Amino acid sequence: VDLSRVERNARRMAEHTRRLGVRLRPHTKTHKCVEAARLQVEGHSGGVTVSTLAEARALAEAGFRDITYAVALPLDRLDDCERLHRDLDGFHLLLDHPRTLAELERSGSARGLRWSVLLKVDSGAHRTGVDPAGDRSVSLASALHESPEVDFRGILTHAGQSYQCRSAAEAAEIVNHERTLMVDFADRLRGAGITVDEISIGSTPGVMAATALEGVTEVRPGNYIFFDATQAAIGSCSIDALAFSVLATVIGVYPERREAVINAGALALSKDPGPTHVNPQCGCGVLVDPDGQQLIAGHTIVSLSQEHGVIRSDRDLDPSWLPGTRLRIFPNHSCLAAACFDRYHIVRGTEVVDEWHPVRGW
Ligand SMILES: Cc1ncc(COP(=O)(O)O)c(C=O)c1O
């Protein structure tokens, strides 16, 4: 992990979102460690977003006080949620189904607490969330608003379709759609007498491309702290912003088939197919020299098995590549690749200055 790049990415996002007039509640799923989360919240309120309760617990123990658990709530984890609810100033849950609300009401009464809840809205990613155009979304928001057992905070969405864009201009269109849809939905709810304090949106491509976010209260990008080969290909950042790389060693060379094999497979780079909609030949990551400065053009990581990565050259294989040669790779998806490791070597320039330990499990 290149610390100077992490610091620069954090600073730029903090300034960009301040200029946009929205609170930054950064997602921490990309790195899953306390040190990077601290850099992300500098200059903002200190609120963070997590995708696992293990991340929430680690951040709570490190002193973070305000955490949104941004997946639709798994109802078998209420004991863990209760501990976090009691330990934190704010611990916010997401739901998109009346059954989850009923369970929260029942368990809240039984446990003597009032859960803080956001309604998850589908703004086009079609993963989870209520359809804001339908009637069921309004009736669920109304039930949340009227329930004495829960504290209804507002609405939240993640327009993950921003990853299908090909340029910052396309990402700007998606974030404008995400903003408008959420502000219009909040207006509709307010028209029905429902209080909506929070309008929370955001993905890295969308927030990076945003120029105005009127009506939105907070954004939750996360990947921007490391960025990755996909973000560079879709126009969210330049290659020199990529802060997470995997240093691999050549373990085999096969000039007759113009291939070399490295000891970084799917358990180091992940099998995320990458930005094939921008470049069908993108392969499994971007290859650079060991210092991370020079792109190695004309070479593609064509396949990954568990512990092997196969690199194919479109000309004769570089004769200087031998077993033991080191190569660096910027993975397609830094969140998934980082989650393969139990520690990150933190480098400033070429010097290793620290080691960070991401939290594992759920
Ligand atoms: C609910 C939610 N919010 C925010 C984010 C952060 O988006 P990104 O990874 O584009 O930074 C994610 C990422 O998956 C998410 O699922």
Side-chain angles (χ1 to χ4, degrees):
V1 169
D2 183 318
L3 186 54
S4 304
R5 291 182 180 190
V6 165
E7 288 168 343
R8 192 175 61 191
N9 294 343
R11 202 170 48 244
R12 284 184 176 167
M13 183 57 87
E15 284 165 5
H16 175 54
T17 48
R18 254 198 313 278
R19 272 195 304 274
L20 288 167
V22 291
R23 257 181 291 116
L24 175 63
R25 182 187 283 279
H27 213 308
T28 58
K29 72 200 275 276
T30 305
H31 51 77
K32 297 174 183 275
C33 62
V34 168
E35 293 87 343
R38 288 202 178 112
L39 292 171
Q40 282 180 293
V41 296
E42 264 176 36
H44 278 267
S45 67
V48 286
T49 308
V50 298
S51 59
T52 66
L53 292 166
E55 292 161 20
R57 173 55 48 205
L59 292 171
E61 280 165 10
F64 286 79
R65 306 295 314 153
D66 181 8
I67 300 179
T68 297
Y69 178 30
V71 295
L73 177 67
L75 281 168
D76 57 350
R77 300 298 304 274
L78 288 178
D79 289 346
D80 302 276
C81 290
E82 177 178 348
R83 274 192 289 279
L84 286 157
H85 177 93
R86 293 197 189 282
D87 289 352
L88 295 170
D89 297 336
F91 181 59
H92 317 292
L93 304 174
L94 260 56
L95 61 77
D96 68 0
H97 198 280
R99 162 88 204 279
T100 312
L101 173 57
E103 281 301 307
L104 286 183
E105 289 179 317
R106 200 190 49 73
S107 69
S109 305
R111 293 164 193 258
L113 57 81
R114 223 165 146 245
W115 302 107
S116 170
V117 182
L118 290 137
L119 177 62
K120 179 77 197 287
V121 177
D122 181 5
S123 55
H126 306 321
R127 191 169 62 179
T128 58
V130 292
D131 174 3
D135 292 334
R136 287 199 299 133
S137 55
V138 180
S139 56
L140 185 52
S142 173
L144 280 158
H145 170 72
E146 272 158 27
S147 172
E149 326 282 358
V150 301
D151 175 15
F152 177 46
R153 309 257 322 133
I155 55 179
L156 178 147
T157 196
H158 169 66
Q161 70 271 30
S162 60
Y163 282 85
Q164 295 313 311
C165 69
R166 291 181 163 74
S167 64
E170 281 183 27
E173 276 176 37
I174 289 169
V175 76
N176 285 340
H177 163 79
E178 186 182 14
R179 183 204 78 82
T180 310
L181 175 133
M182 291 293 275
V183 170
D184 288 354
F185 182 47
D187 285 347
R188 194 166 152 228
L189 297 180
R190 288 169 183 146
I194 300 165
T195 309
V196 181
D197 290 331
E198 199 78 83
I199 301 183
S200 177
I201 72 163
S203 65
T204 288
V207 176
M208 287 303 293
T211 52
L213 288 178
E214 215 185 325
V216 168
T217 59
E218 69 167 27
V219 291
R220 307 177 320 281
N223 177 278
Y224 73 90
I225 195 73
F226 286 165
F227 286 120
D228 52 33
T230 298
Q231 300 283 359
I234 66 177
S236 302
C237 66
S238 55
I239 287 277
D240 71 4
L242 308 195
F244 178 90
S245 61
V246 173
L247 186 59
T249 304
V250 172
I251 56 172
V253 285
Y254 310 94
E256 61 287 358
R257 51 175 214 249
R258 291 182 282 117
E259 287 181 355
V261 175
I262 51 175
N263 66 338
L267 285 187
L269 301 173
S270 94
K271 275 211 166 176
D272 190 297
T276 49
H277 61 298
V278 179
N279 173 13
Q281 263 73 55
C282 65
C284 309
V286 168
L287 268 170
V288 285
D289 68 351
D291 291 340
Q293 301 301 330
Q294 204 64 47
L295 291 184
I296 302 178
H299 292 71
T300 310
I301 306 174
V302 288
S303 69
L304 298 175
S305 48
Q306 188 166 340
E307 307 294 357
H308 296 77
V310 178
I311 300 172
R312 188 171 303 145
S313 172
D314 57 17
R315 59 191 99 95
D316 286 342
L317 202 61
D318 184 335
S320 73
W321 284 17
L322 294 170
T325 299
R326 306 201 89 185
L327 299 170
R328 193 174 288 281
I329 300 114
F330 292 120
N332 283 336
H333 191 168
S334 60
C335 312
L336 292 185
C340 298
F341 294 88
D342 64 356
R343 73 199 64 188
Y344 311 143
H345 299 291
I346 309 303
V347 298
R348 177 100 57 198
T350 52
E351 199 189 334
V352 178
V353 293
D354 205 352
E355 194 173 282
W356 293 351
H357 296 255
V359 62
R360 315 301 299 268
W362 286 265

